[in-house]
Amino acid sequence: MSVFTRLFNGQTTYDFIGERKRWYAVSAFFIALSLVGLLVFKLNAGIDFTGGDLYDFDKAPAGTTVEQVQTVVQEAGVKATPRVTKLGDDRFRVETEALGAETTDKVSAAISREFKVDQADVGIKSTGASWGSQVTNKAIRSLIFFLIAVFIYISWRFEWRMAVGALAALAHDLIITAGIYALVGFEVTPSTVIALLTILGYSLYDTVVVFDKLRENSVGLAGGSRMTYGQAANQAVNQTLMRSINTSLTGLIPVGAILFVGVPLGADTLKDLGLALFVGLIASTYSSIFFATPIVVELKEREPQYKALAQRVLARQARERTGPVRETSRGTGRVATTSTVAGDLADDSAAPLQPSAAVASTRPVARPVRPKSKGGRPSGKKRR
């Protein structure tokens, strides 16, 4: 059976948990790269968060370039380099720092004169720096309240260790998405915030699906010796792997169409939304499988009951590898073979194997053969 067939049927047995150090290294690399982007290049916040003026006009002459618009706006009295975005064939959006009323009128008049646009058709939107700061602070507070609510709910629904794993996955996804945003240089707009909230919900959904299966697999696990908690978690990841892949693909296909097809065709306003969703969906799928669940296993296997479980399972596996044990009974002249059946150990303990749990097979000792006489008959008998 091929790998893809087993994957589709949910029959994969890959050791995701056993290879968790490798996944930690991959996550650490992308998190470090993202932190470099955030600290060195920084996020390119839009005027909705920093304050400033926005000019929007269309029906510009054919062949008008972004550089031409930047030059016209700067010659009108704008000191800092304006951010110009081309929206379609003849529409442009210009973002500048907060300007006074006089400079604003000069900029709109220059745009109208140079690009043959009616000045009344030049849309102007001004956002104060204080208002942008308030929006930023409220967004941060909302995110903190959201994370607290998530921790409380998952702790109540599952347990606090799974809540820690879920929050670690959320932080993982946010840092990577924001870091890629900083490295690419896309502008952070309200659409970006919406996309981030969307991927937070998606990441939680995918993680909770795995956690629910893990809880189902671990019911009554500590009282037996069938498998360790890590093995139960690995089984849960394999059982939900195809579901995670299908969910990711159904989300990535339309988002990829927006980012790689719609933006080149002129839907430039969707690029900030598309990039955040695309990176976030990939990061959240990865974190639910390779990051959140291994963290839960790390925390659970520190508990005494699961430490003892791991010892029992390892002892059982060692007995199965050694195979049957041959023992010689004294004083009976018999050879007893003791073998342990794996199926009889469904609820094994760390105690030594009792005689009643063994299956003994015996055979009588063969009698010694008497030497034959010269006539072919056994010696010691008289010929009649």
Side-chain angles (χ1 to χ4, degrees):
M1 186 181 297
S2 66
V3 175
F4 295 103
T5 303
R6 289 189 292 109
L7 182 65
F8 181 79
N9 294 329
Q11 299 174 353
T12 54
T13 56
Y14 186 78
D15 191 8
F16 292 100
I17 304 302
E19 299 288 339
R20 56 182 177 268
K21 291 184 178 179
R22 179 181 301 176
W23 316 134
Y24 291 160
V26 173
S27 296
F29 171 77
F30 282 104
I31 289 175
L33 183 65
S34 301
L35 291 177
V36 169
L38 291 172
L39 297 175
V40 177
F41 297 96
K42 300 185 182 301
L43 287 172
N44 184 15
I47 64 172
D48 295 284
F49 301 98
T50 61
D53 295 338
L54 185 146
Y55 304 85
D56 191 351
F57 65 95
D58 56 4
K59 299 180 181 178
T64 303
T65 63
V66 171
E67 291 75 15
Q68 291 175 340
V69 176
Q70 285 179 336
T71 302
V72 170
V73 173
Q74 284 182 303
E75 290 177 351
V78 178
K79 297 179 181 179
T81 303
R83 183 184 299 139
V84 180
T85 306
K86 188 174 183 179
L87 310 174
D89 295 331
D90 60 353
R91 185 181 175 187
F92 289 85
R93 184 179 64 188
V94 182
E95 298 179 28
T96 67
E97 58 187 348
L99 305 173
E102 184 179 352
T103 307
T104 301
D105 292 338
K106 288 182 179 180
V107 172
S108 61
I111 292 174
S112 174
R113 182 178 59 256
E114 294 295 332
F115 301 110
K116 305 297 185 293
V117 178
D118 190 348
Q119 189 169 354
D121 294 334
V122 179
I124 303 175
K125 175 186 175 183
S126 297
T127 303
S130 60
W131 188 87
S133 177
Q134 291 176 6
V135 171
T136 303
N137 293 333
K138 289 181 179 179
I140 294 174
R141 286 200 299 269
S142 300
L143 178 61
I144 293 174
F145 291 146
F146 170 78
L147 295 178
I148 293 174
V150 166
F151 184 85
I152 294 173
Y153 174 76
I154 296 182
S155 298
W156 170 74
R157 185 68 175 81
F158 297 99
E159 60 172 302
W160 69 266
R161 295 168 186 80
M162 290 186 177
V164 171
L167 290 186
L170 290 180
H172 171 278
D173 302 339
L174 283 176
I175 292 173
I176 291 179
T177 304
I180 298 298
Y181 230 82
L183 292 172
V184 174
F186 278 16
E187 181 183 0
V188 179
T189 65
S191 298
T192 309
V193 177
I194 294 172
L196 289 175
L197 293 176
T198 303
I199 64 173
L200 287 181
Y202 178 87
S203 178
L204 281 175
Y205 167 78
D206 214 18
T207 302
V208 167
V209 167
V210 180
F211 285 175
D212 189 62
K213 195 65 179 178
L214 172 57
R215 185 183 61 175
E216 179 183 334
N217 291 349
S218 59
V219 172
L221 188 67
S225 65
R226 295 179 293 111
M227 63 179 74
T228 65
Y229 190 87
Q231 291 170 345
N234 191 71
Q235 186 182 59
V237 173
N238 279 278
Q239 289 171 337
T240 58
L241 180 62
M242 195 61 207
R243 180 174 180 176
S244 299
I245 293 175
N246 287 335
T247 307
S248 302
L249 288 178
T250 54
L252 286 172
I253 290 174
V255 172
I258 293 174
L259 186 61
F260 300 112
V261 179
V263 172
L265 293 179
D268 208 49
T269 54
L270 297 176
K271 67 180 183 181
D272 47 358
L273 176 69
L275 179 65
L277 285 175
F278 191 80
V279 176
L281 287 175
I282 295 176
S284 59
T285 303
Y286 178 90
S287 65
S288 63
I289 298 173
F290 301 98
F291 195 73
T293 309
I295 287 178
V296 175
V297 173
E298 297 276 2
L299 295 175
K300 291 290 289 185
E301 290 192 336
R302 295 179 182 180
E303 297 181 23
Q305 57 179 341
Y306 289 109
K307 284 184 178 179
L309 172 64
Q311 293 176 356
R312 293 199 302 271
V313 172
L314 292 176
R316 170 196 168 193
Q317 293 174 350
R319 288 196 300 268
E320 291 178 348
R321 284 194 299 268
T322 55
V325 179
R326 297 181 63 85
E327 298 179 355
T328 304
S329 301
R330 296 182 180 179
T332 60
R334 299 178 180 179
V335 179
T337 303
T338 304
S339 60
T340 304
V341 182
D344 297 334
L345 292 173
D347 195 13
D348 192 18
S349 62
L353 185 66
Q354 301 297 327
S356 59
V359 179
S361 61
T362 59
R363 63 182 181 180
V365 180
R367 297 180 179 179
V369 180
R370 296 181 180 182
K372 296 181 179 181
S373 62
K374 294 181 180 181
R377 297 176 180 270
S379 61
K381 292 186 178 180
K382 296 180 179 182
R383 181 180 298 177
R384 294 181 180 179

